[in-house]
Amino acid sequence: MLDPKLLREQPEAVAEKLATRGFVLDVAAFNALEAERKTLQVETEKLQNERNVHSKNIGILKGQGKDASAVLEQVNQLGDRLTQLSHELSAVQEKLHDFCAVMPNVPHDSVPIGKSEDDNVETARVGTPRTFSFEIKDHVALGEGLGQMSFDKAAKLTGSRFVVLHKHLAKLQRALTQFMLDIHINEHGYEESYVPYLVNDDSLFGTGQLPKFKEDLFTTTAGYSLIPTAEVSLTNLMRDEIVREEDLPLQWTAHTPCFRSEAGAYGKDTRGMIRQHQFEKVELVWICHPDESYNYLEKLRLHAETILQRLELPYRVLSLCTADIGFCSAKTYDLEVWLPAQNCYREISSCSNMGSFQARRMQARFRNSKTGKTELVHTLNGSGLAVGRTLVAIMENYQDEAGNIHIPKALQPYMGGLTVIGK
RNA sequence: GGAGAGAUGGCCGAGUGGUCGAAGGCGCUCCCCUGCUAAGGGAGUAUGGGGUUUAUAGCCUCAUCGAGGGUUCGAAUCCCUCUCUCUCCA
């Protein structure tokens, strides 16, 4: 959510910034709602104050054993008007809230302006894609060839967009998770948490999945939703909390499965593990001082890059343009890994600075040690990395002519010394 | 599954219709006093919103005692629903 004061004072400036990301802010509609809100709120609070004063007097009079019927009659006359006004006020406030709740974040000045994902800016390219002297296979052919990956079985158990992994491939996924967590915890200073995979609507509102992206979620009959990312569980740990300034920054990580309905993705990446309803991810979250968040975004991105480097996977870095950054994001870097079978780079991590956007939605604050006042923190998050896609990348990049998968050196200790996955 | 108890400020804990946003204690901050590894005295110390304002200063004001409804001139206190915690029984 954007700062309502900023919105009130400089609606045109905000509209201009939002326009760069393709969002049309109806300034006239907003101003009209705001004007209505102000009139109603001032009037309502005036009456409430009147009622409070009278009621207090009644209490005093009765306490002294005096007659209060005159005041009582006076305050009785306020009743209907007050009820009506407060109903009108809450209706307008709800409208305003709904209006603001679907407004995306304002992009940072350093974000390239663009009209589509084609305008994303490549800022780095690391590693060189390997050249193959044989006909390469994609991860599906490799996995099924090894008899350790089955989409048919998953379809039988559940439906489309799920996978079953067996034996060494199942272990490889687990190894990757462990490997990533170890690096982030031991080398990058993150604190690990185990968190719920089902969350309530307050949490989903806090991190911005609700109200706008309801259709992307799997929601249970109990009213809870499966997390689409651990960002929801981790970041919401800060909801309604006030931390000491000197305790910032907080760096949190968690490994969780993620669940996405992929509504609107029909026909997209239907083959293989690239776009699944359920996948594993190691998530990185920062809770920090507003002055530092853009510095930390660079660190966060490097932490994610480290994993790709250790696995010796070629990748590139994109600075997403205004048209492509996510709803909550003020600035986003995507890391894309090289997938030989697709002959292109595919997203494997997305690292974003949300600024105060999520913090405002969930009242996540710190106490300024100089002024003693509370201020909103900034929140950042990034994948470190998407484990399923990392598995795909390793399979495709490390295949040999026989259809075996060679294990990257850094990962071999996590595979009990295994160097090749074969039949 | 059944029965009961509870949820109050950073923490503990009073408060069952009225000058209560809330006693008291602890903690914390500031000040005073004190020559000895400390004690004493005083003051302050929740959060969010709105109005006014050059102002994130001040002033005024509204809301919040688990959440949401209701009764009432007035609700931490009474009623209803929900969530969570604890105890006992199965």
Side-chain angles (χ1 to χ4, degrees):
Chain A
M1 211 120 80
L2 297 175
D3 182 359
K5 280 184 188 135
L6 182 74
L7 218 42
R8 256 174 251 156
E9 285 159 18
Q10 307 175 38
E12 302 292 349
V14 174
E16 204 174 306
K17 289 229 172 189
L18 291 181
T20 66
R21 53 180 302 168
F23 183 87
V24 180
L25 173 60
D26 189 341
V27 175
F30 176 79
N31 285 342
L33 270 175
E34 243 312 292
E36 202 182 342
R37 187 229 99 224
K38 185 165 166 176
T39 312
L40 282 170
Q41 183 162 354
V42 168
E43 184 65 13
T44 304
E45 290 187 359
K46 202 183 105 192
L47 287 186
Q48 281 176 322
N49 175 239
E50 223 172 295
R51 181 204 59 199
N52 290 348
V53 169
H54 285 321
S55 294
K56 207 168 237 182
N57 282 336
I58 292 171
I60 293 170
L61 286 173
K62 287 204 169 176
Q64 297 170 340
K66 290 180 184 163
D67 174 42
S69 57
V71 191
L72 207 57
E73 191 159 320
Q74 231 179 322
V75 77
N76 261 327
Q77 292 171 354
L78 292 174
D80 289 346
R81 177 99 182 105
L82 188 53
T83 310
Q84 191 200 337
L85 274 176
S86 56
H87 281 145
E88 284 176 33
L89 176 61
S90 27
V92 170
Q93 275 174 330
E94 200 181 316
K95 271 191 212 168
L96 259 177
H97 181 265
D98 293 348
F99 192 94
C100 294
V102 297
M103 218 183 280
N105 201 358
V106 166
H108 188 249
D109 288 338
S110 64
V111 174
I113 308 236
K115 285 194 165 61
S116 76
E117 61 179 21
D118 298 334
D119 298 319
N120 293 338
V121 174
E122 183 179 308
T123 61
R125 199 175 272 227
V126 180
T128 313
R130 177 185 156 197
T131 50
F132 293 89
S133 57
F134 55 91
E135 184 90 2
I136 57 166
K137 300 187 176 88
D138 73 0
H139 69 280
V140 179
L142 288 164
E144 289 180 342
L146 290 166
Q148 299 180 29
M149 177 184 287
S150 172
F151 296 93
D152 293 344
K153 285 178 189 168
K156 178 179 76 180
L157 295 177
T158 311
S160 64
R161 294 197 190 273
F162 289 88
V163 69
V164 174
L165 301 175
H166 295 295
K167 301 180 198 169
H168 292 311
L169 284 187
K171 182 170 181 175
L172 181 59
Q173 172 158 281
R174 180 160 54 85
L176 277 168
T177 306
Q178 218 66 260
F179 168 73
M180 292 178 193
L181 280 172
D182 282 350
I183 290 175
H184 294 315
I185 294 162
N186 298 331
E187 302 180 29
H188 298 153
Y190 291 82
E191 184 184 295
E192 182 179 11
S193 294
Y194 169 79
V195 293
Y197 303 157
L198 284 165
V199 293
N200 59 33
D201 285 357
D202 286 342
S203 295
L204 291 162
F205 181 83
T207 32
Q209 281 74 28
L210 289 181
K212 215 176 173 181
F213 305 102
K214 192 173 172 44
E215 66 281 1
D216 295 336
L217 299 167
F218 286 111
T219 301
T220 67
T221 50
Y224 301 139
S225 298
L226 285 159
I227 53 172
T229 158
E231 167 201 350
V232 178
S233 303
L234 282 176
T235 310
N236 272 286
L237 289 171
M238 264 305 287
R239 177 148 55 83
D240 295 318
E241 298 289 335
I242 303 171
V243 296
R244 296 185 305 179
E245 185 172 359
E246 53 268 35
D247 290 339
L248 297 175
L250 300 166
Q251 290 174 257
W252 294 333
T253 186
H255 154 243
T256 70
C258 303
F259 302 89
R260 299 187 182 176
S261 80
E262 296 296 347
Y266 308 113
K268 223 183 200 178
D269 299 311
T270 47
R271 180 177 166 85
M273 280 182 69
I274 292 296
R275 197 173 297 275
Q276 299 270 286
H277 286 313
Q278 172 185 321
F279 61 95
E280 303 294 300
K281 185 155 61 71
V282 170
E283 185 72 2
L284 306 174
V285 163
W286 285 70
I287 309 291
C288 74
H289 192 285
D291 295 347
E292 299 293 336
S293 61
Y294 285 94
N295 298 332
Y296 293 148
L297 177 61
E298 302 299 316
K299 285 196 178 186
L300 169 59
R301 194 197 72 230
L302 286 172
H303 294 160
E305 285 187 50
T306 298
I307 304 296
L308 288 165
Q309 288 168 12
R310 299 278 176 90
L311 294 172
E312 299 174 79
L313 290 167
Y315 67 95
R316 63 174 186 166
V317 183
L318 297 181
S319 180
L320 297 194
C321 76
T322 50
D324 208 28
I325 56 173
F327 177 73
C328 297
S329 174
K331 178 169 185 168
T332 297
Y333 290 112
D334 269 11
L335 303 185
E336 295 189 336
V337 71
W338 177 254
L339 293 186
Q342 294 196 3
N343 197 38
C344 68
Y345 290 93
R346 292 300 306 261
E347 179 191 335
I348 198 164
S349 172
S350 193
C351 301
S352 302
N353 182 3
M354 311 308 204
S356 61
F357 190 85
Q358 292 180 327
R360 186 169 294 104
R361 286 176 159 249
M362 55 188 183
Q363 286 300 317
R365 294 155 295 168
F366 71 97
R367 194 172 298 283
N368 185 310
S369 53
K370 285 201 184 84
T371 64
K373 302 236 161 125
T374 58
E375 294 177 32
L376 296 169
V377 297
H378 278 195
T379 61
L380 298 85
N381 67 72
S383 351
L385 309 161
V387 181
R389 287 189 177 182
T390 310
L391 181 80
V392 168
I394 286 173
M395 289 176 72
E396 295 196 359
N397 281 283
Y398 282 88
Q399 64 180 293
D400 65 19
E401 194 162 8
N404 301 319
I405 315 294
H406 295 251
I407 311 288
K409 271 209 178 56
L411 217 50
Q412 287 173 7
Y414 289 85
M415 290 295 284
L418 192 72
T419 57
V420 184
I421 297 176
K423 273 190 190 171

